[in-house]
Amino acid sequence: MTVLGEPARLETGPRRLNLPQQGAKGTCEVNGVDAAGYKAPIDPADVTLSYDTGALTVTPDATGSFTVTARAGSGEQVITITAGGLKTALVVGIGTTQEVVDSFGDTANRRVWTMRATGSVSSTPGGRAADGLRLDYDFTQSTETRGIGIWPVVDRFPVAGKPTAFKLWVKSEGYNQRTRLEVFDKNGTLHTIEPAFITEPGWQQITYKVPSGIACPITLRRVYFNEIRPHMQYTGTLILDELTAVVAN
């Protein structure tokens, strides 16, 4: 059994809360931390909160945590928390912005990646809005998993801010391919994000949700597409246009 000393400071978990839009909810808890670094949750009844009630609603829940609801559509708010003569703050960001990582108007910073396949990368005027990036591939050379994708020429592509997701416009022929995006976090750990299979032909925007708690800044490694069905043998084309990072406010 560990007996905690008197709280030396307060700490929220998480330390920042990002709510993507008006009406979105998130949860946080308040912990007391003693001089040795041990912590324990503080009952919401013993906590006093100060915040803009026009922008947020904060209510205790059955688990001993707080539920935070965005009433405003955007902006950054601060919840001041006091308990036992100690004080801390929780920053709440409301809303997101989208920042263009690559418009694919110039393919000079990209090179093709293949797995058990051949392919090429080129610029095309047939993008969604302007020029796009064209991937031509041949998936007839193996019955094992095949792939086509793009690498940054410098191997890692830096991404500013703290993105919560990436969005990519893809024109597909509807071959039900798996799509993945890879990023390195600030510690050099590789994360693979797999949202879904691309089942419909034509233009569609794919969302790759970044794992929560990932250490930023992050760098982009590659975006790629797989055929995992042994019996599917074909050649085809994918067109990519505008990769954006969704960054929490």
Side-chain angles (χ1 to χ4, degrees):
M1 177 183 294
T2 301
V3 179
L4 272 66
E6 286 294 318
R9 60 185 173 88
L10 299 181
E11 181 182 281
T12 62
R15 296 187 179 183
R16 179 186 174 92
L17 202 57
N18 295 314
L19 305 177
Q21 70 272 327
Q22 187 178 42
K25 299 178 183 292
T27 60
C28 76
E29 62 179 20
V30 179
N31 296 305
V33 186
D34 68 13
Y38 294 104
K39 64 183 179 180
I42 296 178
D43 191 294
D46 298 324
V47 175
T48 301
L49 305 177
S50 175
Y51 59 92
D52 183 351
T53 57
L56 299 171
T57 299
V58 186
T59 55
D61 60 31
T63 67
S65 299
F66 291 93
T67 298
V68 182
T69 305
R71 300 186 67 184
S74 63
E76 188 171 270
Q77 300 294 322
V78 176
I79 302 174
T80 302
I81 301 162
T82 56
L86 301 174
K87 181 182 293 188
T88 190
L90 173 68
V91 178
V92 181
I94 306 173
T96 59
T97 56
Q98 290 195 35
E99 300 178 0
V100 177
V101 176
D102 199 334
S103 64
F104 298 120
D106 180 6
T107 59
N109 62 348
R110 299 289 186 178
R111 55 193 171 95
V112 70
W113 169 87
T114 60
M115 179 177 68
R116 303 186 190 97
T118 55
S120 62
V121 58
S122 60
S123 181
T124 174
R128 179 175 174 270
D131 290 347
L133 183 147
R134 176 179 174 131
L135 287 170
D136 292 298
Y137 59 87
D138 183 344
F139 283 171
T140 66
Q141 302 168 48
S142 176
T143 57
E144 297 183 66
T145 298
R146 290 136 283 160
I148 183 76
I150 48 173
W151 301 85
V153 169
V154 295
D155 191 41
R156 297 190 188 183
F157 199 96
V159 180
K162 295 182 178 181
T164 60
F166 291 93
K167 291 181 178 289
L168 174 67
W169 283 100
V170 179
K171 186 178 183 181
S172 165
E173 293 169 313
Y175 281 121
N176 199 26
Q177 295 161 343
R178 181 179 65 191
T179 179
R180 285 175 164 175
L181 180 145
E182 291 179 339
V183 296
F184 285 99
D185 65 21
K186 67 177 292 186
N187 302 315
T189 302
L190 180 65
H191 300 263
T192 301
I193 306 169
E194 181 181 321
F197 286 75
I198 302 177
T199 60
E200 298 296 327
W203 284 105
Q204 55 207 286
Q205 191 175 40
I206 309 299
T207 299
Y208 305 84
K209 292 185 178 180
V210 175
S212 61
I214 191 170
C216 294
I218 63 177
T219 51
L220 179 66
R221 187 187 189 211
R222 63 176 167 171
V223 177
Y224 62 104
F225 307 85
N226 289 132
E227 176 53 70
I228 65 174
R229 298 164 295 176
H231 67 283
M232 292 299 291
Q233 303 281 306
Y234 56 90
T235 61
T237 299
L238 291 162
I239 299 177
L240 314 184
D241 198 357
E242 197 172 75
L243 175 66
T244 57
V246 180
V247 181
N249 290 335

